[in-house]
Amino acid sequence: MDDKKITENIDALAQEEHELFERESHGTATDADRARLLHLQGTLDQCWDLLRQRRALREFGENPDLAKVRPAKIVENYEQ
């Protein structure tokens, strides 16, 4: 996956996340919405991590395609 596709994926996931936050703030979120929100947050963390890996590899003259998706449990604990 190239940077453009990753960024497009991030945008789509962030839009869905925003919609779910809106439901939560209005008190209309279901348990399924909350579960989906948690899943989205982990997936977004993974996408951002992958994009950062690709940029770092490119910056140091390496092939950005060597970047790998890391497990959500790993990337969700990274400092922002």
Side-chain angles (χ1 to χ4, degrees), residues 22-73:
E22 285 292 315
R23 288 184 201 166
E24 185 66 34
S25 70
H26 290 104
T28 60
T30 65
D31 288 342
D33 290 336
R34 288 182 199 93
R36 176 68 181 155
L37 184 57
L38 287 173
H39 176 75
L40 281 175
Q41 291 169 330
T43 303
L44 277 166
D45 287 345
Q46 287 176 300
C47 289
W48 278 113
D49 177 64
L50 181 61
L51 189 59
R52 286 184 194 108
Q53 284 181 63
R54 290 181 56 81
R55 289 175 177 170
L57 286 165
R58 189 177 298 111
E59 181 179 338
F60 290 98
E62 300 291 330
N63 181 353
D65 292 333
L66 296 174
K68 302 288 184 217
V69 176
R70 293 187 257 218
K73 288 290 183 192

